[in-house]
Amino acid sequence: MTALALHGLVKRFDQKVAVAGLDLDVPTGSFFGLLGPNGAGKTTTLSMAVGLLRPDQGTAEVLGHDVWVDPVRAKALLGVMPDGVRLFDRLDGAELLAYTGMLRGMDRAVVDQRAKELLDVLALADAGRTLVIDYSAGMKKKIALACALLHAPRLLVLDEPFEAVDPVSGSLIRDILQRYVQGGGTVIFSSHVMEVVERLCSHVAIMADGRIRTVGPLEQVTGGRELEDVFVEVVGGRIATGEELQWL
Amino acid sequence: MAVSLFARLKLRVLRNGFRGKPARVVMFVLSLFFGVWFGGGGCLALIASMQPAYPELTALVPAFAGALLVLGWLFGPLLWFGVDETLTPAKFALLPIPRRTLIGGLLTAALIGVPVAATLLATAGLVVGTAIGYGVLPALVSALGVVVGLLMCVALSRSVTSAFANLLGSRRVRDLAAIGLALLAALLGPAQIFGISALSRADFSRLERFADILGWTPLAAPWSASVSAAHGDYLAAIGKIGIGAVTTALLLWWWSATIERAMLGATDASGPRRAAGSAAPVARLFGRLRWIPATAEGTMVVREARYWWRDTRRRANLITFAVLGVFLPVLVNLGSSPAGLVGDDADFQALPDNPAIHTATMVFVGVLGAIAMANQFGFDGTAYALHLATGVPGRREVRSRIIGYSVYIVPLIVVISILVTVLAGKPSEVPARIGTLLGAYGVSLAACVLVSVYGAYALPETSNPFAVNTGGGLAKSLLALVAMIGSVALSSPLILAAALTGKLWTWLALPVGLAYGLGAVWLGVTIGGDAVDRRGPELLVAVTPRG
């Protein structure tokens, strides 16, 4: 059973092809890392997978429900944390969580209880009535993650969850995600921090220029080497200087 | 040398801004057109004012026009046009540029632009007029004054906006400033009417004395120098130009003092941490609106209502409507009766007794009430992604937004209706007014909902409340105008009914208006909601600001 199945996804922006016929199967219960250099199409791919961006071609299925044909069922199973997207940031943390929960039609008592628990665990309870717009970048990531987790989805799609997060919050987020996967959930997240992916993931995919270049279980992809070496080899590009920069 | 580099940089940035953005080119051509229009008009007026045949114009026009120009340069950027952020001082913070070079360069760059060209074109009328009317030497003095005046205007607007930017360190202060300015802008219309009526009753010789004094203040000195020179008083002319030059120097010095802090950028001091109450999260979100049912849709209504107050841009819109909505009907309906507000114009006196006119103003106010909804998705920006990712049904999306906004507007409409009828001494007309207003408001809501779905555009996500969108936003904001005209047209049956049924309308208006408005809203929710279902992702793209 695949938690997320992407088939033949294509997206063009004006002249540029951002995603060029992408196929990807994320197994249920996996902790899946999507790697790629800047501009590889990671965000575009994930946006199409969760129904935020309409693909030019191809399909995206969440646990057997097509996101674009049967969005209601698919989106109920999904928890999403997009990158570079604003939150309803004129609410404070508790209000935002209450809003997200009620929006999904959850029971009021459950929303209250889970929201309080999440705020405590993520150390956001101290922020009190501070509006989310006045949160630091790391706090914004944490409240966005809490919003994605609130309805206990079966699949979590996270875009750059570790960017701009301090080491302590980073560890906390890792712990939460690991526990979530142990409980039977599936996570796919994008990143370009190799260490995090190497430590967390059971599966990885490396994409460049809108295509998946390598995909599989972590050990199979690395084959005993460092993930960073594999990444550089797959993506290509220059990593050392030659004769230039003598004056430096 | 370094200064010309700044000028070339500005030109290059402007040119690259046009690349692949036809909407921006269209806006630029439009602004050029308006620049030539106003600049040319001002130029002709000033040429005429400097002719020896019209001494009374010579005494008044250059001084008042100059003062208006300075005030325009002072308030224009703050209220309407926003600050041109092409070359902000912060972008030069890391480069080792001496302060003097930086100021010179930024001033040169600021001199490149349509407003400066239009100002120069207009004030050149003084030089031409002086040359035609009084000869070469006065014209030369006048030219010097015009150049100094132009520099003074630019230095003024730059230094004030720079100082303002420093003031606006925290988001809270910025929000307050934006709302204050919105209030000021909304009050400008009424103030203008009072000003004109005051002017029409003013004494001419007193005005002349006032213009004379104004000519010796920095507000009008550089341009008033032309008048002095024309009268052969060269000493006074040079003195006035000196006043302008000294003012310019002082402003530049002030600018250079504030620029250092502006270079560091507005630091986003995180707001004060406020302790959490013990209330449960959902109860806290609902707050005083706890009478709204705690369903998914009710929660959306509450969030929307909260946002109309907490989001600065939205609150500014609310305030603008509150001011206009009260003033417009008061001015039109009361005419000259209580305090002679509008003077003794015969037309105005004829108006109040005509029920169709009453209805028409009510229709207009009602239509105006919903205009703030025309780019409702733009206010939220990419935050709309949450609704899209959750799969909120389109009709619920639209309906909750309409209800959330109406929480403010409907009570306001009722208050306006009562206020106007009581002031006019016709309390029996209250139901008719409310009915008409609600009917027009409903029609306008429906039109604005459709515009908000099909014509959504991104608002800049900057923290600067004065930054404007230079992209295609302006073109799309014209759609709101189309919605307004369409709504007035669609509400015209109400005006017609008022004219035809006469006295009977007093009793018919409330039920008929209510039904008409609710019917329109139902139609808008159905059509607009289904459009949201179909175009959700496209809507998100439309409201996403680009780099």
Side-chain angles (χ1 to χ4, degrees), chain B residues 284-366:
Chain B
R284 204 202 284 182
L285 174 65
F286 275 72
R288 256 171 297 171
L289 298 169
R290 64 182 82 88
W291 47 273
I292 294 174
T295 58
E297 183 158 340
T299 317
M300 292 179 71
V301 170
V302 169
R303 203 272 311 162
E304 192 69 10
R306 286 246 176 291
Y307 257 60
W308 276 105
W309 193 250
R310 283 193 194 169
D311 185 349
T312 318
R313 281 190 283 229
R314 293 194 190 209
R315 201 188 329 177
N317 271 307
L318 267 189
I319 290 174
T320 308
F321 172 68
V323 172
L324 282 182
V326 172
F327 268 98
L328 256 171
V330 167
L331 281 176
V332 174
N333 285 289
L334 301 187
S336 58
S337 46
L341 290 183
V342 195
D344 302 319
D345 206 317
D347 287 344
F348 276 97
Q349 276 187 331
L351 288 181
D353 287 358
N354 189 340
I357 293 291
H358 286 189
T359 315
T361 31
M362 288 295 122
V363 163
F364 188 68
V365 171

Side-chain angles (χ1 to χ4, degrees), chain A residues 52 54 68 75 85-92 95 98-99 102-104 108 112 127-130 133-134, chain B residues 171 175 274-275 280-282 284 294 296 299-300 303 307 310 312 382-383 387-390 461 534 537-538:
Chain A
L52 289 181
R54 198 186 300 279
W68 294 97
K75 285 172 180 176
V85 160
R86 257 168 68 181
L87 300 160
F88 280 105
D89 50 17
R90 302 249 168 185
L91 304 175
D92 67 36
E95 286 172 345
Y99 180 60
M102 298 298 286
L103 194 65
R104 288 198 178 264
R108 181 173 177 162
D112 276 338
R129 311 220 71 167
T130 310
I133 195 173
D134 292 327
Chain B
R171 186 181 57 78
D175 287 0
R274 286 183 289 166
V282 176
R284 204 202 284 182
T299 317
M300 292 179 71
R303 203 272 311 162
Y307 257 60
R310 283 193 194 169
T312 318
T382 48
H387 290 183
L388 192 56
T390 312
E461 249 172 40
R534 262 180 284 117
E538 285 72 25

Side-chain angles (χ1 to χ4, degrees), chain B residues 386-519:
Chain B
L386 176 66
H387 290 183
L388 192 56
T390 312
V392 175
R395 291 187 191 182
R396 178 184 294 170
E397 175 85 55
V398 171
R399 198 165 45 221
S400 66
R401 284 170 184 271
I402 287 179
I403 299 172
Y405 179 59
S406 301
V407 165
Y408 296 95
I409 297 299
V410 168
L412 196 59
I413 280 177
V414 173
V415 169
I416 289 173
S417 316
I418 295 175
L419 196 75
V420 171
T421 39
V422 168
L423 277 181
K426 291 173 189 163
S428 65
E429 279 182 12
V430 169
R433 304 256 175 161
I434 295 179
T436 317
L437 256 173
L438 286 179
Y441 174 61
V443 170
S444 184
L445 270 178
C448 288
V449 160
L450 292 184
V451 167
S452 76
V453 177
Y454 285 102
Y457 59 94
L459 294 168
E461 249 172 40
T462 145
S463 51
N464 180 357
F466 310 118
V468 278
N469 199 345
T470 42
L474 277 165
K476 275 190 178 167
S477 67
L478 285 179
L479 278 176
L481 207 67
V482 176
M484 209 164 128
I485 296 167
S487 306
V488 170
L490 287 174
S491 307
S492 58
L494 291 175
I495 307 178
L496 208 66
L500 288 181
T501 55
K503 272 266 182 285
L504 205 58
W505 183 243
T506 321
W507 304 108
L508 276 180
L510 188 54
V512 169
L514 207 58
Y516 200 74
L518 282 177

